[in-house]
Amino acid sequence: MAERTILVTGGAGFIGANFVHALVELRPDWRIVNLDALTYAGNLENLTEVEGNPNYTFVHGDITSTDDVSKAFDACGDDAPVSVVHFAAESHVDRSIHWPLPSVQTNVIGTQVLLDEFRRRSAQRFLHVSTDEVYGALGEEGMFTEETPLAPNSPYSSSKAGSDLLVRAAVHTHDVDAVITRCSNNYGPYQFPEKLIPLMIANASEDKPLPVYGDGLYVRDWIYVRDHCEAILRVLEAGRKGEAYNVGGNNEYPNIEIVRRILSILGKPESLITYVKDRPGHDRRYAIDASKIRSELGWEPRFDFGTALPLTIEWYQTHSVWLQRVRSGEYRDYYARQYGS
Ligand code: NAD
Ligand code: TYD
């Protein structure tokens, strides 16, 4: 019998898949049910190593569907308490600028559907994975704390802020045991190559241009995905009900410096850098004050850019077949071949 069951949403995506791998390693007695709609960002090839694990079940379904969410809770069984770790989202800012509705549907409505079913099932704890982008943008000084007012600027971050508020409402109105994490930009294995770091690694490896938006001086605080996954586990197990916890890596870099580092590690020329038209409404800088999770829960990031960026580049080099199948779209056949529908 499992000690605890975790219903992970969006487990076939970048951070969700890394979290599933981390859980299998760190909590081998827990059961994992992964509910994922397999949008363009969902890739079951991220999870081939856990497929045969008797404690792991995949449910193909959409978090905006009450039937699919109910099916996923059914798959959790009733012999162990069920907690939800909610990753599923439309996660890309550029896509949300061009097509905002999917962000609203999945991020806002999907979160409410999950919260309703969670309450109906009297489940144990709901961990909502959110982002530092809900706080808006910073100038050259300052950092986001958990007290910073929500002031999102893109359709993506606005829909994530909407979902954070729905989680807050569930705690306040219905006494739901929920916690929120707000993390900075992640990098590491299995990231879809539409985001800065994997896109630049993939393009540089193929000697293609590296598109840098605007002046390239936009700043993000980068965290290795494994550190984020460990922070989520810590908050799930020890965070205080109703609280939000910022998670950050203390690794602030302008985009252009990251691009130059990638080129240098790969031994490629800077002539591949191509400045392109800026993203509309581009947030200038994000920086996270993670002192609350450090002091209350004793979590610390273990990786810095100096070690984890080369590790990440090496991962994409040794997983060139994975990358090529994502870039060509072949990864989308995997579900039908494996599950027969
Ligand atoms: P991702 O885009 O790589 O993966 C999203 C996953 O959710 C995919 O597997 C997709 O198939 C699934 N999904 C999308 N819509 C769905 C739906 N309607 N029903 C069921 N599944 C659906 O995203 P990611 O980068 O892994 O981000 C995961 C979470 O972490 C998101 O909530 C995001 O807001 C948050 N976050 C991401 C970062 C980052 O740097 N990537 C930073 C902070 C917070
Ligand atoms: P991204 O990885 O899309 O994450 P987010 O927008 O959520 O921070 O982008 C990170 C930074 O890199 C952001 O400032 C936009 C910039 N960027 C580029 O300059 N070129 C690109 O091709 C992409 C995808 C992003």
Side-chain angles (χ1 to χ4, degrees), residues 27-305:
R27 299 291 180 273
D29 296 334
W30 291 12
R31 180 183 300 136
I32 304 167
V33 174
N34 173 18
L35 170 64
D36 199 298
L38 300 181
T39 68
Y40 79 95
N43 182 355
L44 285 178
E45 295 183 10
N46 298 350
L47 292 166
T48 46
E49 284 156 41
V50 299
E51 243 166 33
N53 187 318
N55 277 345
Y56 171 78
T57 306
F58 174 65
V59 176
H60 187 204
D62 191 320
I63 59 163
T64 66
S65 153
T66 49
D67 284 352
D68 289 356
V69 169
S70 178
K71 197 170 66 175
F73 271 94
D74 287 345
C76 291
D78 50 17
D79 59 337
V82 177
S83 289
V84 172
V85 179
H86 175 33
F87 294 95
E90 287 293 336
S91 71
H92 191 40
V93 173
D94 292 325
R95 281 180 191 257
S96 82
I97 290 169
H98 296 294
W99 306 285
L101 271 183
S103 306
V104 177
Q105 265 149 357
T106 288
N107 303 358
V108 181
I109 295 171
T111 300
Q112 188 59 50
V113 171
L114 283 169
L115 285 166
D116 287 346
E117 191 63 15
F118 178 92
R119 220 156 54 78
R120 210 174 68 74
R121 303 272 180 157
S122 304
Q124 190 179 33
R125 166 155 272 200
F126 190 100
L127 188 146
H128 178 59
V129 180
S130 191
T131 163
D132 60 352
E133 300 190 28
V134 297
Y135 297 121
L138 294 164
E140 280 178 20
E141 298 294 315
M143 292 179 129
F144 299 131
T145 73
E146 290 82 357
E147 307 308 316
T148 304
L150 303 191
N153 291 318
S154 71
Y156 163 67
S157 55
S158 301
S159 62
K160 289 296 291 187
S163 63
D164 285 22
L165 294 178
L166 292 171
V167 172
R168 178 188 153 91
V171 175
H172 189 79
T173 313
H174 299 294
D175 204 27
V176 164
D177 182 350
V179 280
I180 298 176
T181 54
R182 296 195 180 120
C183 189
S184 58
N185 286 57
N186 286 223
Y187 65 101
Y190 303 114
Q191 188 164 28
F192 197 83
E194 63 183 352
K195 305 276 168 65
L196 181 76
I197 289 182
L199 178 71
M200 298 299 159
I201 297 171
N203 281 13
S205 304
E206 295 177 18
D207 297 306
K208 289 189 174 152
L210 273 51
V212 172
Y213 297 165
D215 61 7
L217 298 178
Y218 293 85
V219 174
R220 300 291 183 261
D221 171 13
W222 294 91
I223 184 170
Y224 192 52
V225 64
R226 176 67 186 221
D227 279 329
H228 184 193
C229 291
E230 289 178 10
I232 289 170
L233 184 56
R234 190 77 196 114
V235 174
L236 179 71
E237 294 186 315
R240 279 185 296 132
K241 175 178 168 183
E243 293 292 313
Y245 292 89
N246 285 350
V247 181
N250 257 343
N251 267 291
E252 273 189 59
Y253 290 100
N255 296 336
I256 190 66
E257 193 175 325
I258 292 170
V259 172
R260 289 203 175 108
R261 276 190 187 218
I262 291 171
L263 287 170
S264 148
I265 294 171
L266 287 172
K268 299 286 183 175
E270 293 201 0
S271 55
L272 289 175
I273 295 174
T274 311
Y275 288 93
V276 298
K277 191 166 170 286
D278 210 352
R279 171 187 284 174
H282 199 166
D283 285 339
R284 192 62 170 169
R285 175 172 165 258
Y286 303 141
I288 275 276
D289 176 346
S291 49
K292 179 173 170 182
I293 187 172
R294 285 171 193 255
S295 62
E296 253 187 44
L297 305 182
W299 171 88
E300 289 281 346
R302 295 191 290 122
F303 297 89
D304 67 15
F305 229 35

